[in-house]
Amino acid sequence: CQPATSATDKPAYVLVVTGTDPYLPAFLSINEAMRAEVARRSPRSVTWLHESTDSARFGLPAPMLAELLARKYQGVPIEAVVLATEPAIEFYLAHRALLWPHAPAFFHSIGPDFARKLPADAGLAGVPIDLDAAGSIRIALALQPQARKLLVINGQSLFDRTRWEQLRPALAEFA
C-alpha cells in the first residue's frame, strides 16, 4: 500500500522562456534570485524548465519552435511561465494558445515603453526595468574624470535597437 500523495508532494513546473542568451551574467543572477525566493516562499518543490528563443540574436523564431515546444511539454503541467525580455513576450503572445494558455505568465527584463504597449488583454504581470543611462554615464565620468570620449558598442537585434533608443536621449545630455 503506497501513501497518498498530496498536492504539496508534487513539484510545480515553472517554465522560464528567454528571448536572448540565458547564460548572460545578468540573467544568471536574476534566475538565481528568482529560484531562491520561490524556494523560500513555496511549500512545494519547483521543477524549473528553461527554453530560449534566442530571438535577440537571430530574429523571431519560426512557428516550428512553438510546435516543437508544444510537443516537448505535452502532458507536462506547466503552472507558471516566466518571460525574460521583449522577444520572449512576443513569442509567447504569438503562440500562447498552442503552448500554455492556462498558465499565469510573468515578465522581467523589459523596458517600460514595451510594457506600456502590451495589449490590455495580454494577461501578463511583471515589473519593467527602467535603465538610468544618464546616471550610469555620470558614475563613469566620476570614476574617470579625465575621460573625454565615450564609446558605445551596440548590436543590431531588436533588443539592441530598443536599448539604443533608450540610451540616445541620455547621450545627448553629454554631447
Side-chain angles (χ1 to χ4, degrees):
C1 183
Q2 294 184 357
T5 59
S6 70
T8 58
D9 292 338
K10 295 180 183 177
Y13 290 91
V14 176
L15 177 64
V16 179
V17 180
T18 60
T20 187
D21 181 351
Y23 300 106
L24 293 172
F27 288 113
L28 292 174
S29 295
I30 291 168
N31 190 46
E32 183 180 329
M34 180 174 56
R35 285 174 173 240
E37 191 61 24
V38 168
R40 189 176 75 77
R41 292 176 180 238
S42 177
R44 296 171 62 192
S45 65
V46 175
T47 298
W48 293 90
L49 307 166
H50 292 266
E51 297 293 341
S52 176
T53 65
D54 215 358
S55 307
R57 290 190 286 189
F58 301 115
L60 288 178
M64 288 189 318
L65 178 60
E67 293 166 14
L68 172 70
L69 294 177
R71 283 191 203 147
K72 180 177 179 178
Y73 292 107
Q74 185 176 8
V76 178
I78 302 295
E79 293 186 38
V81 179
V82 178
L83 305 163
T85 72
E86 290 93 345
I89 292 174
E90 290 170 337
F91 176 79
Y92 172 79
L93 292 175
H95 303 289
R96 71 176 157 187
L98 173 66
L99 298 170
W100 315 284
H102 304 295
F106 307 91
F107 64 78
H108 69 79
S109 302
I110 71 165
D113 290 339
F114 185 88
R116 279 189 286 278
K117 293 176 186 172
L118 286 171
D121 65 346
L124 300 172
V127 178
I129 55 171
D130 194 3
L131 303 174
D132 181 8
S136 296
I137 294 169
R138 280 190 210 92
I139 291 170
L141 291 173
L143 293 171
Q144 299 290 329
Q146 282 77 26
R148 297 291 170 248
K149 293 183 181 182
L150 175 67
L151 174 65
V152 177
I153 299 173
N154 196 52
Q156 289 300 310
S157 71
L158 173 62
F159 182 81
D160 296 327
R161 290 191 309 268
T162 301
R163 294 298 171 262
W164 174 248
E165 290 306 316
Q166 291 173 335
L167 178 63
R168 260 165 83 179
L171 290 173
E173 179 182 329
F174 300 94

